[in-house]
Amino acid sequence: MERYRIEPGSDFRLSNLDPGERLSFDGKKALGNEYLEELTGRLRTLQELLYAQGRHRVLVVLQAMDTGGKDGVIRHVFRSVNPQGVKVASFKAPSSLELAHDYLWRIHRETPARGEIRIFNRSHYEDVLVVRVRNLVAPEVWERRYDHIRDFERMLADEGTIILKFFLHISKDEQARRLQARLDDPEKHWKFSPADLEERKLWDDYQEAFQVALTRTSTPWAPWYAIPANSKWYRNLVVARVLVETLERLEMRFPESSLDLEGIRVE
Ligand code: AMP
Ligand code: MG
């Protein structure tokens, strides 16, 4: 899975990553789903350990183009975990109250507490993505933000937060299919926004903004993973595996009781 990790200082090019890549799982959807099942089971145990220990904090950042699969990852990768220990924070266009503060204000208050997994459905990265592409602030303002973000995440990591960032990479053709599916299915109409078509016209600008954000803010303390996401099941599998491997490296144990519980029988 290290294949999809963007190494700091590497010459990673988003345009070289095939969104349809499935490696050895190509043509093996059933096997992929079986493996995902196993991984979500392991994730359930790991999250229980995390919650029981109450030591580590985990932040999962999800970014993608519209229809890229952020909601799908949340639904499928986290389907087995106890809702008590996992919370989702979704970041929409900022409210007037949020705009009255610095751009990290609304973000910081949603970061995970000890024992918690917090999933960011969009994030502070919008402030160097849509904000950059749409010229919502002057270039000298967003240009500074890459450094702010690196420093902010460094602080979170220093204070005990494990940070994993996923960019779900779909192709422009795949987005067309998914947007069309939203238009064709009345049960998906609620997900469609005419703004999605406007954003789609700026596809290349967004790809460039992602290219810059991913390479400038992938750090040892908060790495980016760029995930091929045309295949929903492969995308879920890769995200789940990165999460499971990262959490397993913590070698967590259930806390031992300080009480002597040996021999106690409940009448
Ligand atoms: P959705 O996730 O489909 O509900 O859409 C949320 C919208 O909010 C997207 O169009 C984002 O680009 C937009 N958004 C999120 N964060 C920001 C931000 N910091 N500034 C401007 N727009 C944002
Ligand atoms: Mg949307």
Side-chain angles (χ1 to χ4, degrees):
M1 290 303 106
E2 295 310 301
R3 173 182 179 84
Y4 298 124
R5 187 180 160 122
I6 300 174
E7 294 309 325
S10 73
D11 56 359
F12 170 83
R13 289 299 308 174
L14 190 52
S15 50
N16 290 341
L17 176 65
D18 173 10
E21 175 173 297
R22 286 182 292 214
L23 298 182
S24 59
F25 279 96
D26 209 25
K28 297 181 184 157
K29 180 174 176 181
L31 188 70
N33 276 322
E34 230 173 85
Y35 187 37
L36 177 64
E37 196 58 37
E38 186 211 312
L39 288 166
T40 56
R42 277 157 74 186
L43 187 60
R44 181 184 44 209
T45 309
L46 287 160
Q47 186 248 334
E48 217 173 289
L49 278 161
L50 194 84
Y51 189 74
Q53 269 199 336
R55 179 133 55 103
H56 305 284
R57 314 170 169 101
V58 178
L59 175 59
V60 177
V61 172
L62 299 176
Q63 288 285 167
M65 297 295 288
D66 288 314
T67 75
K70 303 187 301 298
D71 296 305
V73 164
I74 296 170
R75 200 163 53 242
H76 294 289
V77 174
F78 295 92
R79 64 187 172 207
S80 302
V81 299
N82 179 350
Q84 290 224 79
V86 180
K87 292 194 186 117
V88 181
S90 297
F91 296 98
K92 310 279 181 186
S95 67
S96 52
L97 175 66
E98 287 166 347
L99 282 174
H101 291 78
D102 66 85
Y103 68 100
L104 290 175
W105 178 75
R106 67 171 183 163
I107 306 294
H108 198 177
R109 48 199 300 208
E110 298 291 348
T111 52
R114 289 188 197 282
E116 213 176 65
I117 299 178
R118 202 44 95 95
I119 305 163
F120 279 6
N121 184 343
R122 303 187 191 269
S123 66
H124 42 304
Y125 283 95
E126 294 292 329
D127 293 287
V128 289
L129 292 166
V130 62
V131 167
R132 169 181 167 140
V133 171
R134 289 277 177 193
N135 299 310
L136 300 182
V137 299
E140 55 272 27
V141 176
W142 57 251
E143 180 59 43
R144 297 191 291 251
R145 291 183 173 172
Y146 301 99
D147 285 340
H148 298 160
I149 290 173
R150 289 168 61 98
D151 290 344
F152 170 65
E153 292 176 350
R154 171 106 214 199
M155 181 279 289
L156 294 178
D158 283 350
E159 293 288 319
T161 302
I162 293 139
I163 306 171
L164 293 171
K165 303 181 294 196
F166 297 99
F167 171 62
L168 312 175
H169 185 42
I170 56 167
S171 64
K172 198 173 178 190
D173 287 348
E174 180 63 22
Q175 189 192 51
R177 278 190 287 277
R178 292 184 187 186
L179 285 173
Q180 195 61 51
R182 284 184 183 181
L183 285 163
D184 294 346
D185 179 354
E187 293 189 0
K188 287 186 180 163
H189 283 177
W190 65 276
K191 271 198 161 190
F192 180 79
S193 155
D196 294 347
L197 299 181
E198 293 307 308
E199 297 298 285
R200 179 172 165 79
K201 290 183 189 153
L202 300 168
W203 181 273
D204 291 341
D205 296 342
Y206 273 103
Q207 295 296 302
E208 179 57 21
F210 271 113
Q211 167 68 34
V212 176
L214 297 178
T215 46
R216 287 187 62 179
T217 64
S218 197
T219 56
W221 57 89
W224 271 109
Y225 291 81
I227 311 286
N230 275 7
S231 230
K232 295 174 182 176
W233 57 269
Y234 186 72
R235 165 203 81 199
N236 294 338
L237 176 62
V238 175
V239 172
R241 179 148 165 191
V242 170
L243 259 161
V244 164
E245 285 183 352
T246 305
L247 295 180
E248 281 180 348
R249 255 181 266 127
L250 298 175
E251 299 189 338
M252 294 181 286
R253 299 276 173 271
F254 283 106
E256 283 182 33
S257 174
S258 54
L259 309 170
D260 181 12
L261 304 178
E262 196 75 23
I264 299 181
R265 287 285 162 267
V266 180
E267 300 294 331

